Every structure is written in C-alpha cells, then in structure tokens.
Amino acid sequence: MPPLMKPSQDIPEPPTPPIPSTPPFPVAAPQVEAILLLRESGVLLPLPKGKTDLIIGRSDAARSIYPDIDLAPHGGDAHGVSRRHARLIVEADGVYLEDLNSTNFTFLNRRRLEPGQRYPLRNGDEIRLGLLALEYRET
C-alpha cells in the first residue's frame, strides 16, 4: 500500500507548458514588381505593392465593388470583364492567376482557365479577361 501524504507536504505544481517563440522580426510578405500592359491602348497598370491577393475586375459603386486592379476605365464593361473577374496571388515562389468563375472566362496564353485553379505567371504571358487582352510583365 502506498504511503499516505501528510497534509503538511507540498503537492508539486504541474510543469508550465513552454510559450511558443515568436520570430524576432515580422515576416515580410512576398514582393513582386510587375505591371499589366493593356495591349489595345498601351496603358501600363502597376501591381499594387505590399498585397499578396489582388482582385482584377471592374468597379461598380452601386454594389460597392472596388477591385485592386480596376479595368472599368479601360473598357472593361464593353470587353466583358466581370466585376470580380480574376485574381493574382503573390507568393514567395512566384505569381499565380486564378479565374473567379467569371462570365466571359479568363485565358492565359490562349488557354481557358478552370475557375478556382491557380496557374503560374511568367514574364510576357498574355492574359485575356473576356475580350480584354493584357500582358504580364515583371519589372
């Protein structure tokens, strides 16, 4: 039979779990310096810096839709660009393009993209949103 503890004996405290360490410096979001060239007009649209998820489409104030890259002033409506047409995803290993189930489809180098799938972008790739052609260029 185990010995009984005397009431005056201290009961040991359970060990304190370790506190997870945090990195000494914040981890920076991946950066990319790139532009989208509107092929029809030659207008250059720089990708906003510091963002890793960029919506491409056309603004609609009545519905409070304001994409990161707004193609409304560049004929987006006439060319069949959806309000939330596609998105660019910036990661450490590169930039990806994804169709957001747009009405008039997204094409990469003349290949129709499956909605919800990510496709890697390379310098000089042609992106077509509906009938609006753009070129992805890293600077």
Side-chain angles (χ1 to χ4, degrees), residues 110-129:
R110 300 177 190 244
R111 177 180 168 206
R112 183 174 152 193
L113 304 186
E114 290 295 321
Q117 299 294 314
R118 297 171 10 151
Y119 296 83
L121 282 177
R122 290 181 179 70
N123 192 36
D125 279 348
E126 180 191 65
I127 299 168
R128 197 160 42 90
L129 309 174

Side-chain angles (χ1 to χ4, degrees), residues 81-131:
V81 176
S82 298
R83 290 170 184 85
R84 292 179 41 88
H85 197 106
R87 77 178 181 140
L88 296 174
I89 304 132
V90 180
E91 294 190 347
D93 64 340
V95 179
Y96 297 85
L97 177 65
E98 176 185 353
D99 178 73
L100 296 177
N101 204 23
S102 60
T103 302
N104 293 311
F105 313 113
T106 302
F107 297 83
L108 178 59
N109 297 322
R110 300 177 190 244
R111 177 180 168 206
R112 183 174 152 193
L113 304 186
E114 290 295 321
Q117 299 294 314
R118 297 171 10 151
Y119 296 83
L121 282 177
R122 290 181 179 70
N123 192 36
D125 279 348
E126 180 191 65
I127 299 168
R128 197 160 42 90
L129 309 174
L131 298 174

Side-chain angles (χ1 to χ4, degrees), residues 4-84:
L4 296 173
M5 292 181 75
K6 296 180 186 174
S8 62
Q9 282 182 317
D10 291 331
I11 299 173
E13 292 287 325
T16 305
I19 298 172
S21 64
T22 56
F25 303 102
V27 178
Q31 295 287 325
V32 65
E33 299 231 359
I35 58 167
L36 294 175
L37 166 69
L38 290 158
R39 288 206 165 153
E40 189 173 291
S41 65
V43 170
L44 302 174
L45 302 172
L47 299 188
K49 294 184 183 196
K51 294 192 81 172
T52 57
D53 191 30
L54 302 163
I55 301 298
I56 306 170
R58 57 184 174 84
S59 61
D60 183 343
R63 294 184 183 180
S64 296
I65 297 173
Y66 302 99
D68 300 298
I69 300 169
D70 185 8
L71 298 174
H74 308 286
D77 191 22
H79 287 87
V81 176
S82 298
R83 290 170 184 85
R84 292 179 41 88

Side-chain angles (χ1 to χ4, degrees), residues 128-139:
R128 197 160 42 90
L129 309 174
L131 298 174
L132 188 65
L134 306 116
E135 184 178 321
Y136 172 77
R137 289 190 183 171
E138 295 176 354
T139 56

